[in-house]
Amino acid sequence: MYPTLFSFGPQHSRLSTLAASAVVLAALSSAPSVRAADVSITLPQGGGFSVRSSTAEERLRVQTDGAVLLPALPAAPQQGQLTCFDSASGRLGGCSPAATSGLAGAPGATGPAGATGATGPAGATGATGPTGATGATGSVGPTGATGAAGSAGATGPQGLQGIQGPAGVTGPAGATGATGPAGETGATGPAGGSMASMAAHNTSGTTIPVLLGGTAVPLPNAQNLGSSGFTVNGSNDSFTVSSSGRYRVKYTIRTTSATIASARLLVNGASLAALTETPSTSTTRYSAETIVTLAAGSVLQLQLFGMLGTVVLDGGAGATMVVQQLN
């Protein structure tokens, strides 16, 4: 017989009573004969026996196969007493010494530490380690005291004659001579041509929607196209050169906030590297200047390009273009 252990304490006498009742009921449900003084409960075919509380919680159940269940027992607090049952008859009772002798007792307290043993003999000396790296060079020591001056030597022979020195400063000019007679009047030369020039600005803080392919910057303010015939289109963003020649071309653009846009000045729709500014970081200032040869009828246009977004020009000199003929 291998006894099964149950733990029941004084606080759970009701559970021990239910357990005992369950065993009795199980024995009744499976016993071949019943004594006349016993109370007999016959379970229906395929049914069991159940005891419930006033709140319908199941306290005791006998299965059709004779198994006895106590649903509340797993959640009950652990106790210090043991109860065993005989696996052949199902009888409950105290546990025999043989049933409990195999149970491990609680670990005993740790004993005191033993005395420290004697120190062993010294080991053999280890091999010499590798030579360490050379240390850093020390700082330079202080300069020693200056030695005593030597005695004067004998005078050497006379040296060779030196090279001739530079010419002296020119003396003051002499008095002005008398004025000679007037010469004949020369022929009148041809009239000189006027040099073409222009300037135009944007001073009103215009908002410009910039496209990747470029958006023209209008320059409608303070236009000075000169008397030599610079012309401008109706959008104030394209200026036509009146005569051929070499021109100094300059522009500036100032924005209210930094952007990654680039700026350029187109000549007949083509950009010039010297008049294109592509900053590596966001900026609020663009400017370029160079000298180019322009034919009469060339069209100049200032642009912002290289991004999709909105740029707001500064008030005042937000954008400026100056073109000046040199010859």
Side-chain angles (χ1 to χ4, degrees):
M1 177 187 72
Y2 295 94
T4 299
L5 307 181
F6 296 89
S7 176
F8 298 102
Q11 296 179 357
H12 293 81
S13 60
R14 183 175 66 169
L15 290 178
S16 61
T17 301
L18 291 176
S21 300
V23 175
V24 173
L25 290 173
L28 290 175
S29 64
S30 61
S33 63
V34 180
R35 294 190 296 271
D38 293 335
V39 175
S40 176
I41 299 175
T42 302
L43 301 177
Q45 183 66 31
F49 179 80
S50 177
V51 176
R52 296 179 180 273
S53 67
S54 61
T55 58
E57 295 179 353
E58 192 171 47
R59 301 302 190 190
L60 171 69
R61 181 171 183 80
V62 180
Q63 305 280 53
T64 57
D65 59 357
V68 179
L69 307 178
L70 295 176
L73 189 59
Q78 295 182 354
Q79 303 298 319
Q81 300 178 6
L82 300 176
T83 299
C84 298
F85 74 90
D86 186 86
S87 61
S89 65
R91 180 174 182 177
L92 297 175
C95 295
S96 66
T100 59
S101 62
L103 299 178
T110 302
T116 303
T119 302
T125 302
T128 302
T131 303
T134 303
T137 303
S139 58
V140 178
T143 303
T146 303
S151 57
T155 302
Q158 181 177 348
L160 299 175
Q161 181 177 348
I163 60 175
Q164 182 177 350
V169 178
T170 302
T176 303
T179 302
E184 295 181 358
T185 302
T188 302
S194 60
M195 296 290 104
S197 62
M198 63 149 285
H201 310 268
N202 188 315
T203 61
S204 56
T206 304
T207 298
I208 300 177
V210 181
L211 302 177
L212 289 175
T215 300
V217 178
L219 302 169
N221 309 121
Q223 291 181 351
N224 187 339
L225 304 183
S227 60
S228 54
F230 273 93
T231 59
V232 62
N233 65 352
S235 302
N236 291 296
D237 57 16
S238 297
F239 297 83
T240 302
V241 176
S242 59
S243 59
S244 300
R246 293 175 64 248
Y247 286 82
R248 174 175 173 264
V249 180
K250 177 181 179 180
Y251 72 83
T252 60
I253 299 175
R254 294 178 173 83
T255 62
T256 58
S257 59
T259 71
I260 60 172
S262 298
R264 63 189 175 189
L265 194 147
L266 302 182
V267 178
N268 296 324
S271 61
L272 300 179
L275 294 174
T276 300
E277 184 173 2
T278 305
S280 59
T281 59
S282 298
T283 184
T284 62
R285 297 291 183 268
Y286 305 85
S287 64
E289 179 180 356
T290 191
I291 295 175
V292 295
T293 299
L294 301 176
S298 297
V299 178
L300 308 180
Q301 186 181 69
L302 183 60
Q303 281 192 351
L304 287 170
F305 71 101
M307 64 168 276
L308 287 174
T310 300
V311 170
V312 180
L313 300 181
D314 277 348
T320 297
M321 182 171 68
V322 176
V323 182
Q324 182 182 11
Q325 187 178 12
L326 300 178
N327 53 39

